[in-house]
Amino acid sequence: MQRDLFVADVEDVPADDRRKRPEDTLPQPCAGPKEDGRAILSTATGLVIEVADDQTMLIGADPEAGLTLDDPFVSYRHATLRRYRGGFLVEDLHSTNGTYLDGVRISQAWAGPGSRLRIGNHRLDVTTSMVSRTPPSGPMLGVSQVFQVVLANLRRIAPLRQPVLIRGETGTGKELAARELHDRSLRSEGPFVAINCAGISEALAESELFGHLKGAFTGAHRSRTGAFGEADGGTLFLDEVGELPLGLQAKLLRVLEVGHIKPVGSERETPVNVRIVAATHRDLHAMVACGRFREDLVHRLDILTIELPPLRERPDDIPALLRHFAGQMSDELGRSILVSQAAIDAARAHPWPGNIRALRNAVTLAAVLADGPIGPSDLMTGVRTGSCATRAADLNTEGVEVPRGTYRTMKRAMLAKIVEEAGSIRKAAPVLGIPRSTLGTWLKHDE
């Protein structure tokens, strides 16, 4: 049976450092995978412990623990370790002195190849015998306190049946959070269906959500189930829910209230068992005040709310994210991708207005272009500096001549002017703080 290996260097910290508090941070391990991806077994005074797939191992002072550490700073039941997808899920069991991953105190986190744990006065190095370096939740990982709070909240509300609203800036991982909710819910064996509300045309939105019968409209050559039908028994993720047309908002509200859908062209309602997870980067309550979103639908959606922090508020998570993306690129390019400590420091200092998505794009470009370990200049190549507000101010929007007419006409003129000043839809989208696909949809549908 293929096994991961947990290489535990249980040699005590040198005597002159032995009485330091466990808070003392450890040197950061080299970001990226090992050269060949195989287990490291050469520990002169260490201990190699095999952890079988899905086995949970107790670490602590308990003589019956899988790894017993005789250390006054180690609790009786200190932490658990479970193999998971090429790494380990480490969970602190409310220990007195804490569990540290790469120098940061954690409550639960994923430890991949190259990570280093500190429990009391013991340092534990993690390696793997498997090529896969995929963490349990993709980029939904981190060790910062703000991230741990979000993760704990996601896991608390995952088993519930009520709708969930996820709010956060573009690129913060709202779909990953939705998948985390689904995977930890009682519906985890059911389907997870994601639909971008900003990416569907208003004319076809009802069919996309609720389905249609054959012949219901021109071009309906066959019946379609729709997103709600596909998600029956599982979770439906409505990304950018703030972009739904008002008429469709009323129909979504009815589905939430009665649990039935009516496909386009049908005279009968069909029951569905779906949990709604909606996401937006907009302030829905402000949209209500402007008449652009239904207040009763907000009250239906905004019951259990998760706020995803931007990456600039969780810099302690950047090293782990860099390791993860470097590992992905290593697999894709077939060679080892390393990230220097200087690059890590540069990444921690950058505000990342595009959040995790921008960080991933930066690593992808740097991995392709860099000849050796990724340095600061490699990582920051192509990364825009300055905030969205600063870039928006750089555009000459003062000369926009808004024609008389409907709201749609005025909106179209404003958007067209911003795109013209920016040079392209791709460049204008970050200025407006919206996805490129959303801007493209607005321009297309407002014609």
Side-chain angles (χ1 to χ4, degrees):
M1 178 175 62
Q2 189 79 14
R3 293 174 178 265
D4 276 9
L5 298 177
F6 180 79
V7 181
D9 182 1
V10 296
E11 180 182 12
D12 286 345
V13 177
D16 58 350
D17 190 44
R18 193 170 298 173
R19 289 302 173 184
K20 288 185 178 181
R21 295 175 58 81
E23 295 77 22
D24 298 339
T25 58
L26 300 171
Q28 290 289 336
C30 185
K34 300 297 179 185
E35 287 293 328
D36 55 10
R38 295 192 296 269
I40 299 174
L41 303 176
S42 56
T43 54
T45 60
L47 175 67
V48 176
I49 298 177
E50 294 188 3
V51 181
D53 190 16
D54 277 338
Q55 173 188 349
T56 299
M57 185 181 73
L58 175 66
I59 303 174
D62 184 353
E64 302 298 322
L67 176 59
T68 302
L69 300 178
D70 184 13
D71 185 328
F73 291 113
V74 175
S75 299
Y76 193 74
R77 295 174 57 85
H78 196 104
T80 59
L81 183 79
R82 180 166 70 89
R83 172 182 159 180
Y84 199 104
R85 299 186 189 176
F88 300 93
L89 284 176
V90 183
E91 182 171 3
D92 182 81
L93 301 179
H94 305 289
S95 63
T96 301
N97 293 303
T99 300
Y100 292 78
L101 176 65
D102 295 338
V104 180
R105 186 166 184 166
I106 64 170
S107 58
Q108 187 180 59
W110 183 77
S115 298
R116 174 170 290 180
L117 291 168
R118 181 168 182 167
I119 297 178
N121 282 321
H122 296 278
R123 299 176 181 180
L124 313 176
D125 295 315
V126 179
T127 187
T128 178
S129 61
M130 298 178 66
V131 176
S132 173
R133 304 176 184 88
T134 305
S137 305
M140 193 67 188
L141 69 142
V143 297
S144 67
Q145 184 176 1
V146 64
F147 175 82
Q148 292 299 314
V149 170
V150 170
L151 199 59
N153 289 337
L154 285 170
R155 291 169 179 174
R156 286 190 186 100
I157 67 178
L160 306 179
R161 58 182 177 81
Q162 287 87 353
V164 179
L165 180 63
I166 301 173
R167 295 194 296 217
E169 295 178 7
T170 298
T172 50
K174 293 187 284 293
E175 183 169 347
L176 289 168
R179 288 184 180 275
E180 180 77 11
L181 286 170
H182 173 75
D183 291 343
R184 292 183 174 273
S185 73
L186 301 178
R187 300 170 176 268
S188 59
E189 297 300 320
F192 176 90
V193 177
I195 185 167
N196 185 350
C197 298
I200 56 179
S201 69
E202 185 171 350
L204 297 177
E206 186 174 357
S207 172
E208 292 278 353
L209 288 178
F210 309 125
H212 64 255
L213 298 185
K214 180 179 179 180
F217 50 84
T218 302
H221 301 300
R222 59 184 178 85
S223 297
R224 177 172 182 171
T225 303
F228 270 92
E230 293 173 1
D232 195 18
T235 302
L236 176 59
F237 175 55
L238 299 177
D239 196 11
E240 300 295 347
V241 70
E243 312 307 321
L244 278 179
L246 281 169
L248 202 59
Q249 292 176 27
K251 295 181 179 181
L252 175 59
L253 176 64
R254 175 166 174 79
V255 175
L256 292 173
E257 289 177 340
V258 303
H260 290 73
I261 61 171
K262 181 185 286 188
V264 178
S266 175
E267 297 297 327
R268 297 181 179 179
E269 291 189 334
T270 304
V272 289
N273 177 18
V274 173
R275 186 193 196 182
I276 297 294
V277 178
T280 183
H281 70 284
R282 299 189 177 279
D283 184 341
L284 295 184
H285 293 276
M287 293 180 68
V288 169
C290 296
R292 296 168 56 195
F293 206 85
R294 293 181 63 100
E295 184 175 10
D296 45 7
L297 181 55
V298 168
H299 293 319
R300 271 289 185 178
L301 295 175
D302 198 3
I303 301 173
L304 303 172
T305 304
I306 294 291
E307 297 278 356
L308 294 185
L311 192 55
R312 61 183 175 274
E313 294 180 7
R314 39 181 297 209
D316 290 340
D317 294 333
I318 287 178
L321 290 165
L322 286 173
R323 281 195 298 271
H324 169 66
F325 295 137
Q328 283 186 327
M329 292 307 299
S330 294
D331 292 338
E332 184 172 340
L333 298 176
R335 57 184 173 87
S336 180
I337 301 298
L338 304 177
V339 182
S340 70
Q341 184 61 51
I344 294 175
D345 294 340
R348 287 173 60 95
H350 187 67
W352 297 108
N355 294 294
I356 299 174
R357 185 180 297 127
L359 180 66
R360 180 191 62 202
N361 293 344
V363 174
T364 300
L365 179 62
V368 173
L369 299 181
D371 294 325
I374 294 175
S377 60
D378 302 313
L379 186 64
M380 306 311 288
T381 297
V383 174
R384 292 178 176 272
T385 58
S387 65
C388 291
T390 300
R391 278 179 278 154
D394 292 338
L395 295 179
N396 179 21
T397 57
E398 295 181 359
V400 177
E401 296 181 3
V402 181
R404 297 180 183 274
T406 65
Y407 168 78
R408 175 175 292 185
T409 304
M410 292 185 289
K411 174 184 173 184
R412 165 74 180 170
M414 293 292 290
L415 292 176
K417 181 64 176 179
I418 292 174
V419 171
E420 179 185 351
E421 292 288 344
S424 68
I425 292 178
R426 178 181 62 82
K427 294 178 180 178
V431 173
L432 296 169
I434 59 175
R436 181 174 57 180
S437 59
T438 300
L439 179 54
T441 300
W442 286 356
L443 289 168
K444 179 179 179 181
H445 296 158
D446 284 344
E447 291 177 348

